Amino acid sequence: MKKFLALALALVMTASLAACGGESTPPAGSGSGTEPTSSYKVAMITDYGDITDQSFNQTTYEACKAFCEANNVQFNYYKPNGDTTAERVAMVDAAVADGYNVIVMPGYAFGGTIVETASQNPDVKFVALDVAEGDLLEPAITAKGEEYDYNPANWTLSDYADLSNVYCAVYQEELCGYMAGYAAVKLGYDHLGFLGGMAVPAVVRYGYGFVQGADAAAGETDTKVAMEYVYGNQFFGDGDITAYMDTWYTTMGVQAVFACGGGIYTSAAEAAAKVDGAKVIGVDTDQAAIIDAYGADMTVTSAMKGLAPTVNTLLTEIVLNDNWGEYAGKIQTLGLVSGDDPAANYVQIPMESTQWGDGFSQDDYKALVSKMYSGEVKVSSDIGAEPAVSNITVTYYGNIK
């Protein structure tokens, strides 16, 4: 309850909120022979990835599964056969037909799925992670035969869709991106790279925050820093992107790459593994374990957002506290909720695996978070233009593919 109160008080909220072939896990409690006791049944739908992606899907799946096992709630996950709204809708339909009445969906790709299925299933509670107003507006407006101008401020979502049984969480990725860029420069890296997946808003916020953090740290340390910046235009690594990263690490001398976008980290890690001392910065979750499998101590840090805490908070409020009314029909922007305890925040870098050093210690990180929370350190969330920099040189390359 303490965490819920902090969340409710500190988060920026907007009150207008205005995919057959599924795969599943056994119901919670089946291993012990006990029957689920709750009237709620929780289903998670994966996006274009799966539950072993070491990113959005896996984190969300594990959080849902852990909660349901701990509270004797029936749980299944469903994996669409392909990367289309129609296939994601098919998985929602399958879950509803199977009796699931709480459906958790991770990622912006679910915008169209939510618009299509939520109003058809008013008794189902939909929890969407990282789905912003614009992700919902585009399919809703298109379905009405109008043309979306990609400016949410010009539209009222409730005019186009009834999403009163939907809760959406979005995150201030620019804040943890800033933390990662700041840490990297403070730890002595002066030639950085940003490898984004697709240039969707969340990825851009990560990248622009990374630029701002590196610029601030360079100013404080009077360090000359260069940054290369590119998008792969996909959320997975491949030979072409690995070759591009090979050039960065071996020819251009890039020391650490922030790989931001699903499985695209594999290309950065494969390239870094060929160069002594080359590093990677993870994203979304603490990716040290999977990145370091390519080479010992390869991970500088990870820019993380609290998918698991969000899942736990929402399922607790729905299933245990019968408090859905406080969340239904809302979009919440989750970020910093504590200036004293970095681990309590919904955006952070990991205490356990960050490669702390004399230039940037845990105490330095705590001090930074305190300043960000108080507003002494300001980070722009604007993705309409590249961030202004004073102390570093950034070269933007557009898309690799």
Side-chain angles (χ1 to χ4, degrees):
M1 183 59 69
K2 180 180 179 182
K3 187 168 186 177
F4 165 66
L5 290 173
L7 175 65
L9 290 170
L11 298 179
V12 179
M13 299 178 60
T14 44
S16 173
L17 181 67
C20 187
E23 300 183 15
S24 63
T25 59
S30 61
S32 61
T34 62
E35 291 296 324
T37 56
S38 174
S39 60
Y40 287 108
K41 297 171 67 175
V42 177
M44 176 224 167
I45 316 294
T46 67
D47 60 4
Y48 38 78
D50 59 39
I51 62 168
T52 60
D53 67 356
Q54 300 290 336
S55 188
F56 259 59
N57 290 295
Q58 183 168 350
T59 302
T60 305
Y61 165 77
E62 291 175 351
C64 289
K65 186 172 184 288
F67 176 90
C68 291
E69 287 180 346
N71 294 285
N72 203 26
V73 175
Q74 189 165 336
F75 170 66
N76 266 317
Y77 85 94
Y78 294 77
K79 179 180 177 181
N81 287 328
D83 182 19
T84 68
T85 292
E87 285 158 320
R88 285 184 277 272
V89 167
M91 291 299 94
V92 172
D93 291 343
V96 173
D98 289 341
Y100 290 88
N101 52 12
V102 179
I103 298 181
V104 182
M105 298 167 287
Y108 76 95
F110 280 99
T113 305
I114 294 166
V115 168
E116 189 168 337
T117 61
S119 62
Q120 297 175 359
N121 300 282
D123 295 328
V124 175
K125 298 168 175 59
F126 292 88
V127 176
L129 308 178
D130 223 36
V131 178
E133 187 176 17
D135 301 321
L136 299 161
L137 277 168
E138 181 175 10
I141 290 169
T142 300
K144 297 288 188 180
E146 299 179 38
E147 186 174 350
Y148 181 46
D149 64 359
Y150 297 94
N151 186 348
N154 293 336
W155 307 84
T156 301
L157 183 55
S158 58
D159 290 343
Y160 293 86
D162 177 11
L163 303 178
S164 56
N165 57 330
V166 180
Y167 166 83
C168 291
V170 292
Y171 300 87
Q172 292 181 284
E173 294 93 352
E174 69 276 5
L175 299 184
C176 51
Y178 183 102
M179 296 171 190
Y182 186 93
V185 173
K186 285 284 190 173
L187 289 170
Y189 300 99
D190 57 19
H191 197 170
L192 302 174
F194 176 82
L195 170 63
M198 298 179 72
V200 298
V203 174
V204 179
R205 284 194 294 269
Y206 269 128
Y208 285 4
F210 188 65
V211 171
Q212 293 176 71
D215 186 59
E220 292 177 12
T221 58
D222 195 25
T223 303
K224 184 178 181 180
V225 174
M227 184 183 295
E228 317 302 329
Y229 193 112
V230 76
Y231 297 101
N233 205 29
Q234 61 189 40
F235 285 115
F236 55 91
D238 64 12
D240 293 334
I241 297 175
T242 300
Y244 202 97
M245 292 296 99
D246 284 336
T247 299
W248 274 15
Y249 283 115
T250 61
T251 303
M252 299 174 66
V254 171
Q255 300 160 315
V257 172
F258 182 17
C260 179
I264 204 165
Y265 77 90
T266 59
S267 281
E270 287 169 6
K274 303 169 189 176
V275 180
D276 186 38
K279 304 290 185 177
V280 177
I281 295 170
V283 75
D284 290 337
T285 63
D286 185 353
Q287 291 192 309
I290 58 169
I291 292 173
D292 287 355
Y294 291 82
D297 300 320
M298 187 182 288
T299 313
V300 177
T301 189
S302 296
M304 308 190 305
K305 47 190 173 186
L307 302 175
T310 309
V311 167
N312 192 66
T313 296
L314 265 294
L315 293 184
T316 297
E317 291 300 306
I318 294 168
V319 176
L320 303 184
N321 298 340
D322 194 25
N323 200 29
W324 173 241
E326 291 296 317
Y327 295 88
K330 295 178 181 177
I331 299 172
Q332 289 185 320
T333 301
L334 311 184
L336 302 179
V337 297
S338 174
D340 301 318
D341 181 9
N345 291 318
Y346 285 82
V347 286
Q348 57 182 273
I349 60 176
M351 285 287 194
E352 297 80 7
S353 63
T354 296
Q355 294 183 358
W356 310 107
D358 292 339
F360 193 64
S361 65
Q362 288 191 2
D363 286 342
D364 294 327
Y365 169 51
K366 292 176 182 178
L368 173 65
V369 171
S370 179
K371 291 178 181 178
M372 294 173 72
Y373 182 74
S374 71
E376 182 179 346
V377 170
K378 300 183 184 299
V379 184
S380 173
S381 61
D382 180 17
I383 60 173
E386 297 161 357
V389 294
S390 303
N391 309 295
I392 67 174
T393 301
V394 185
T395 304
Y396 294 92
Y397 297 95
N399 291 321
I400 296 174
K401 307 186 77 169

